[in-house]
Amino acid sequence: FTSRASEKGAAGEFDEAAGWYEQYLEERPARPEVMYHLGLAYEGMGEPSAAREALSVAHELDPDEPAYIEALARNMAKNGETDAALDMLERIAAESMRADAHRRLGRFLLDQGFADEGVRVLRAAAELDPGADAWLGLAEAYRSFGDDERELGALRHAAWFDPENAMISSRVRSL
């Protein structure tokens, strides 16, 4: 069932994919990965409420799965529930104190146009887990603002953690 549904979803045949996922869930309910893909199929069909419900169930069944968290937050924001999405992401970041949760929140804030807050949260992620990924996230944010000086500083930090990274070296040279 799920491979057939995945094929249909990849082909953009979201209504058929949703049908396959629904049929699968009748026989095997409470499968978070299937609920997640069903939610994506509903999004593709232009059914935001059904997508929200399926993505919420996927998240409830597996609350630590990043893909489910990100998809649910994105869906909530698209449906005018940006504050609720922010509350969810902030709660997850505060409760987990994990760098990846802070990076997710920071990216979401940036995507929603909250530049200062997004950078502040990405800096907190770098403090929690000072590695190349955290600094690359900050560099990406600075690049989106056109702040070459800060981007270069963040890239230099990232290069310290990952000196063999060709992408970092290339971008540093281009600045």
Side-chain angles (χ1 to χ4, degrees):
F1 284 111
T2 58
S3 63
R4 183 91 167 144
S6 295
E7 290 172 13
K8 295 296 184 182
E13 298 172 16
F14 300 114
D15 55 338
E16 288 187 45
W20 282 102
Y21 288 127
E22 289 167 348
Q23 189 175 354
Y24 182 89
L25 288 166
E26 287 176 14
E27 296 177 20
R28 296 174 191 93
R31 298 293 301 260
E33 68 279 2
V34 177
M35 292 303 295
Y36 166 73
H37 288 289
L38 177 60
L40 297 181
Y42 286 148
E43 279 186 342
M45 293 168 55
E47 298 288 340
S49 296
R52 166 89 154 79
E53 181 63 29
L55 294 170
S56 292
V57 171
H59 173 61
E60 288 170 15
L61 292 170
D62 189 355
D64 295 326
E65 173 55 46
Y68 305 164
I69 296 167
E70 291 170 16
L72 179 57
R74 184 184 63 248
N75 175 273
M76 293 166 78
K78 277 190 209 174
N79 291 313
E81 300 176 77
T82 303
D83 288 342
L86 278 171
D87 288 345
M88 177 186 73
L89 293 173
E90 287 173 341
R91 179 183 44 77
I92 291 168
E95 289 174 1
S96 72
M97 289 305 293
R98 291 184 7 209
D100 65 322
H102 282 79
R103 283 193 299 270
R104 184 182 312 105
L105 173 58
R107 284 191 310 269
F108 184 83
L109 286 163
L110 292 172
D111 290 345
Q112 297 303 312
F114 300 108
D116 292 339
E117 295 87 347
V119 167
R120 181 183 51 75
V121 172
L122 289 172
R123 283 195 159 285
E127 290 173 16
L128 287 168
D129 181 18
D133 288 344
W135 289 104
L136 285 172
L138 269 170
E140 182 181 320
Y142 292 137
R143 183 178 188 177
S144 72
F145 308 146
D147 190 336
D148 292 346
E149 183 178 330
R150 287 191 174 151
E151 179 189 1
L152 182 58
L155 286 169
R156 286 183 175 146
H157 277 86
W160 191 84
F161 290 101
D162 190 0
E164 302 301 317
N165 187 314
M167 186 279 303
I168 296 171
S169 299
S170 174
R171 184 64 186 152
V172 166
R173 282 191 302 275
S174 73
L175 291 172

